[in-house]
Structures are given as C-alpha cells and as structure tokens.
Amino acid sequence: LKEKTEDLKRERQLAEDLLHQMLPKSVAKQLRKCQKVEAESYDQVTIFFSDIVGFTSIAASCTPLQVVEMLNNLYVCFDSRIESYDVYKVETIGDAYMVASGLPERNGTKHADEIAKMSLDLVAAVRQVAIPHMPMGRLQLRAGIHTGPCVAGVVGYKMPRYCLFGDTVNTASRMESTSLPQKIHISSATYDALLTDDAYEIEPRGEIEVKGKGKMKTYWLLGNKNYSVQN
C-alpha cells in the first residue's frame, strides 16, 4: 500500500508539473478546484515577440519532419534560456515566440529589464540552432518589445489557454514585424522603462510608419553594459 501511495504521488506530481508548464500555477490551482478564473488587469508589463527570418521559404525546402525537428530544437533552446529570467512564456504560434514579464506575478518595475536581458540572450542563442537540411545555415531572429498595460485571463473550456489582451500586445507584435534580422526593436515606452538603470546600449531608429499606429519613434536594443550574454 505504501509503494502504491508513493507511485500515485509521483504520477500526481508529474501531472501537476505538466499542467504548470501549460498554465500559470495560480490559474491551474483555481481550475483544479473548479473555480472560475477571473481576468486580471496589469498596469505595466513588457511583452516580447520574435519570429524566424525567412521561415516560410526555409520550411518550404524541408520535409515536415525536418520542420518539426528544427522548431523543437529552437524552442528547447529558448525554453532552457528563459528559465534564467523572471518571465512567463505565453505561447508559440508556428515560428513565433511570445514571452511576457510582470505577469501573472507582478514584479514591480523589473519587467522591462528582465525581457531586455532575455531578448539579448535569445538573439545570441538562435545562431546555435542548426537547420536540419542546411548544415552550414543558421537561423536568424527578428524581435520586438513593447511596455504597457494589458489584461490577462483564461479562455476556452477544452484546452484552456492563458491569453493576453490589449493594445500593448498588438504594439509588441508590430515592433517585431517591423524589426530586422538579428535586431531587437523596442518602442519608446520600453526605451523609457530601460533608461532608469542606464545599463543598456540603445540606438535611435527614428520615426517609422507602423500599421494601425501611424508614426512611432522607436529604438534598437544593442546590448547591456553590465551583462555578458552567455553563448
């Protein structure tokens, strides 16, 4: 009976660990108790989006198995890197990778700094990920970051997902789509949030036209003066 109880505890722990990889712990706890998960507003969070440069053409020249292998290698690499930072991986959509800081657990004013350090790490790390059918080729990342308010909540009953809503999400996505290969494109709101530490090397990009937003003053995040990217 003691052995069976221990086995049951291990199985339960495995199931909980898997659930916590898919949903925040606080959300999973409420769902297990059959409680309704209330949506929550956050005054300030920082959101990161990235995707792979030329992914469509790379995928077109791969077998389906190679596409899955390549993305799995990429996400395993990224997932292991982001554990060093106070961030929450929201989701992956194809080759797009979305991470936020400041939610579901608030971290004061640290969110921009955490995402900035993480983004520099990921841009360096992506160069290590090989393309299965192109041994000499290396993937390139296009990244974007924005800081602002958002709402977070669980949607759906079957396979419930923790989703973020609001203009901050849209703007972060626009920062990514208007970025360049191996560049981290940040909004003026993120720039202002990073100025407090004076720890970053940032270069003005100038004003650019952003779909749905008009002209925006944006910047390139180049590096951190006090932080050496592991590579």
Side-chain angles (χ1 to χ4, degrees), residues 206-223:
E207 281 196 345
I208 62 161
E209 188 71 34
V210 178
K211 186 179 176 184
K213 304 293 294 179
K215 287 194 179 295
M216 288 184 71
K217 190 176 182 182
T218 63
Y219 301 81
W220 298 119
L221 174 62
L222 304 178

Side-chain angles (χ1 to χ4, degrees), residues 107-125:
N107 57 4
T109 57
K110 286 172 55 185
H111 46 86
D113 181 52
E114 292 294 317
I115 288 288
K117 287 189 294 189
M118 179 210 74
S119 62
L120 291 165
D121 199 348
L122 296 191
V123 166

Side-chain angles (χ1 to χ4, degrees), residues 145-219:
I145 305 173
H146 180 56
T147 301
C150 83
V151 171
V154 174
V155 296
Y157 172 67
K158 291 191 175 182
M159 290 183 68
R161 286 174 57 216
Y162 183 72
C163 294
L164 311 186
F165 303 94
D167 190 55
T168 299
V169 180
N170 300 333
T171 306
S173 179
R174 293 281 184 245
M175 290 298 100
E176 179 273 314
S177 61
T178 53
S179 187
L180 295 174
Q182 290 300 101
K183 289 275 197 178
I184 303 165
H185 190 203
I186 67 173
S187 66
S188 54
T190 302
Y191 171 75
D192 291 341
L194 293 176
L195 273 185
T196 53
D197 291 338
D198 190 31
Y200 290 91
E201 295 170 28
I202 299 172
E203 182 181 274
R205 185 183 189 178
E207 281 196 345
I208 62 161
E209 188 71 34
V210 178
K211 186 179 176 184
K213 304 293 294 179
K215 287 194 179 295
M216 288 184 71
K217 190 176 182 182
T218 63
Y219 301 81

Side-chain angles (χ1 to χ4, degrees), residues 9-169:
K9 277 184 182 176
R10 275 194 295 270
E11 289 298 324
R12 186 174 180 178
Q13 190 61 51
L14 283 170
E16 282 191 7
D17 290 345
L18 182 61
L19 184 60
H20 293 158
Q21 287 174 27
M22 299 167 72
L23 291 166
K25 286 184 181 181
S26 55
V27 170
K29 190 176 180 181
Q30 290 175 72
L31 289 175
R32 280 205 308 274
K33 291 180 179 177
C34 299
Q35 296 174 348
K36 184 182 177 184
V37 181
E38 296 292 338
E40 198 167 351
S41 292
Y42 294 85
D43 293 334
Q44 285 284 294
V45 300
T46 298
I47 298 173
F48 166 94
F49 276 95
S50 71
D51 74 353
I52 298 302
V53 177
F55 177 75
T56 305
S57 57
I58 293 171
S61 60
C62 292
T63 66
L65 194 62
Q66 285 173 328
V67 174
V68 173
E69 183 189 352
M70 177 175 64
L71 286 179
N72 184 56
N73 290 343
L74 177 70
Y75 293 152
V76 165
C77 172
F78 281 9
D79 290 349
S80 63
R81 293 276 178 162
I82 70 172
E83 285 180 0
S84 303
Y85 308 97
D86 183 11
V87 300
Y88 178 76
K89 176 183 170 184
V90 182
E91 63 181 343
T92 57
I93 310 160
D95 65 315
Y97 197 79
M98 180 184 180
V99 184
S101 183
L103 58 80
E105 304 297 328
R106 290 172 172 81
N107 57 4
T109 57
K110 286 172 55 185
H111 46 86
D113 181 52
E114 292 294 317
I115 288 288
K117 287 189 294 189
M118 179 210 74
S119 62
L120 291 165
D121 199 348
L122 296 191
V123 166
V126 73
R127 303 294 292 161
Q128 300 174 22
V129 182
I131 305 171
H133 66 298
M134 296 166 60
M136 301 305 291
R138 285 293 179 269
L139 295 175
Q140 288 187 302
L141 205 66
R142 181 170 43 229
I145 305 173
H146 180 56
T147 301
C150 83
V151 171
V154 174
V155 296
Y157 172 67
K158 291 191 175 182
M159 290 183 68
R161 286 174 57 216
Y162 183 72
C163 294
L164 311 186
F165 303 94
D167 190 55
T168 299
V169 180

